[in-house]
Amino acid sequence: MANPKAMRAKCFTSHFSCDLSKHITNISPIVARFPPVPASDGRNFQYMVTQPGQPQYGNITFEGVEHKDTIGDLKTWVKDVYEGKEIRKDITVECFDQAGDTVRTFNLIDTWPTRFTILNCGADGQAGSVVHWTVEVRVNRTDMAKEKS
C-alpha cells in the first residue's frame, strides 16, 4: 500500500484510508444507538427507570471507483456471503489530518455485506473499463482508538 503522507501531498480528495479496498471515495457516518432498557432501581420492583442498553450499530456504506481487474476480492466476499458462507471481515478505517498523520482509527469488527451495487462507466462509451461500486456492510461492534500525539 502506498504511503498515506505521500499520497496526500499530491491529492487532498480524501483524508482516510480503509483496508476494504485501496480506492474508496466515500464512507457514510458510523452511527451507534443506545436504546433505553427498563430496569428496577433495586428498592422497589414496581418503580421502573430506564438505563442505556447494548449499542446497536447502523449499516455503513462504502463507495469506490476501481479498475475492473482490482475489484475481485470484494466481489468474491460478497458472493460468498450471499451463498450462505459465514465469512465476516474486520475493516479498519484510519482518519488523517491535513499533514497526513493518523488522528483516529476505527475498527469495524465482524462485518458482512448487506447490499452491493456495481456500475460500469467507461469513459469511451464501452462498459467494463471503470467500475463504480457501493457496498453496505452490517457492523457487529466497533473499537475506536485515538492515536498518540
Side-chain angles (χ1 to χ4, degrees), residues 29-71:
I30 300 170
V31 179
R33 180 178 166 269
F34 298 89
V37 175
S40 170
D41 67 352
R43 294 174 289 187
N44 184 353
F45 69 92
Q46 293 177 341
Y47 178 73
M48 299 300 279
V49 295
T50 57
Q51 62 187 19
Q54 294 292 322
Q56 297 174 349
Y57 300 101
N59 292 354
I60 299 173
T61 304
F62 296 92
E63 295 179 18
V65 178
E66 294 194 24
H67 190 271
K68 65 180 181 176
D69 295 334
T70 61
I71 198 168

Side-chain angles (χ1 to χ4, degrees), residues 55-104:
Q56 297 174 349
Y57 300 101
N59 292 354
I60 299 173
T61 304
F62 296 92
E63 295 179 18
V65 178
E66 294 194 24
H67 190 271
K68 65 180 181 176
D69 295 334
T70 61
I71 198 168
D73 292 339
L74 185 62
K75 284 173 117 177
T76 303
W77 180 47
V78 171
K79 182 181 175 191
D80 289 345
V81 170
Y82 282 159
E83 289 176 351
K85 297 179 183 174
E86 185 68 27
I87 301 175
R88 296 188 182 203
K89 187 181 268 193
D90 295 344
I91 300 173
T92 301
V93 178
E94 292 181 323
C95 300
F96 303 108
D97 59 7
Q98 288 285 342
D101 298 324
T102 303
V103 177
R104 185 142 310 174

Side-chain angles (χ1 to χ4, degrees), residues 16 18-28 60-75 77-78 89 91 113 115-121 129-137:
F16 59 85
C18 181
D19 60 0
L20 181 63
S21 176
K22 291 188 281 187
H23 300 99
I24 290 181
T25 57
N26 191 21
I27 300 175
S28 69
I60 299 173
T61 304
F62 296 92
E63 295 179 18
V65 178
E66 294 194 24
H67 190 271
K68 65 180 181 176
D69 295 334
T70 61
I71 198 168
D73 292 339
L74 185 62
K75 284 173 117 177
W77 180 47
V78 171
K89 187 181 268 193
I91 300 173
R115 184 174 56 94
F116 181 68
T117 57
I118 190 165
L119 174 66
N120 291 337
C121 48
S129 59
V130 178
V131 176
H132 177 267
W133 54 267
T134 303
V135 63
E136 184 175 319
V137 299

